[in-house]
Structure formats: structure tokens, C-alpha cells
Amino acid sequence: AGLDRVALRAVAGRAAVADGDSLTILDERIRIRGIDAPELAQECTRDGHVYACGMEARSALVALISGEAVTCTGRERDRYGRLLARCEADGRDLGRMMVEAGWAVAYGDYEVAEEAARSTGRGVWAGSFQAPRDWRADHRAVQEARHDWLMRLLSLLRQLFFGGGLS
């Protein structure tokens, strides 16, 4: 039974986008692995003006999907029960695309893509912003663990033996 909880799961279909790093496909709530997008209510600054960067991140993910079917594959669950997964639309890695566009920061993956976005001032890098993790801490929102190899291993072990997620 423990192995069933960590079996690779693939979900495909039309996606409903919740924010810049989470979506739902066929009643399966999914958190895109390896990225952290601004929270929906988060604001950032660009050209001396405050703007709703969390909403822009969500809009960017909607535009990337552009009505295509989305396929997400993963085996772990986060503390909210969402599947942590790599997601693609039309063969494009949505996590990588969000980081490259500057609407998400690398969160265990995609560091090279983040550096490119940062150096060219794309998305949130065009101005100033608080890292989503820090924003959640300041607004007393629950923190999520990074999606690096150690957290993946701990999460898999926890799911295997206890049936819960760690991220």
C-alpha cells in the first residue's frame, strides 16, 4: 500500500489555473515542481509603481497554457495534498517557461533559467519584489519546503511509510 502512495502519477486534460504555480486538472490539484511564483495577493514594484505581480504571474501561466491540454507527472504530494509535478503544455515545460519569463523564481530547479530572467529584467526582475517565500512569512502564510533533492527524498520516505506529504 505504501508503494501506491509514491507511484508516478500522470494527469492530462484542460487546466484551471489557480495562481502562477498551481492548477487543477480533472479534480487533481497540482503544484508545479521546482518553481515559486508570487502569491495571488502579492504586489511588486516596477518603474516606481506598485502592481499586482501575483495576478500577472497567474495571467502568464494562463497565457502559456493558451487553451492547450496540460500533462502533469509527479509522485509526491505537498502538505495541502496537491500533486507536486512537472507540467507541460504543447510539449513545453511550464515551470521552466514561468521562470524564464520572470514570473516565478527557481525553487529547487531552473536556476539557469532564473539567472537569464534576472539578467535581462523579465517579469518580476524588471523591478523590485519580495521573494514569494518571504512574502508568505511576512503575511503569516504557511511556508512550503523547497523542491530540491533532499526534500524530495524526505517526502517520498514520509509518503511511503506514513502516507503524508512533506512539502
Side-chain angles (χ1 to χ4, degrees), residues 1-55:
L3 291 176
D4 289 341
R5 288 192 292 267
V6 293
L8 190 63
R9 173 141 167 76
V11 182
R14 298 285 175 207
V17 177
D19 58 27
D21 56 25
S22 56
L23 44 92
T24 301
I25 301 172
L26 303 172
D27 295 327
E28 177 77 70
R29 293 175 44 232
I30 300 161
R31 171 77 154 77
I32 299 174
R33 172 178 288 295
I35 72 171
D36 196 14
E39 294 298 317
L40 210 51
Q42 189 170 344
E43 294 180 330
C44 301
T45 304
R46 179 175 52 214
D47 298 325
H49 301 285
V50 173
Y51 71 101
C53 57
M55 293 297 289

Side-chain angles (χ1 to χ4, degrees), residues 42-117:
Q42 189 170 344
E43 294 180 330
C44 301
T45 304
R46 179 175 52 214
D47 298 325
H49 301 285
V50 173
Y51 71 101
C53 57
M55 293 297 289
E56 286 202 25
R58 181 190 180 281
S59 295
L61 183 56
V62 168
L64 282 173
I65 292 170
S66 65
E68 297 290 330
V70 175
T71 301
C72 297
T73 308
R75 60 174 34 105
E76 302 165 62
R77 299 215 174 254
D78 68 7
R79 69 181 68 186
Y80 305 108
R82 297 176 298 186
L83 180 66
L84 285 171
R86 296 260 182 228
C87 296
E88 293 184 351
D90 196 26
R92 295 168 300 148
D93 181 333
L94 294 174
R96 178 175 307 285
M97 300 291 288
M98 286 295 289
V99 173
E100 285 176 350
W103 293 114
V105 296
Y107 206 59
D109 286 321
Y110 308 118
E111 283 78 9
V112 173
E114 180 183 292
E115 182 52 42

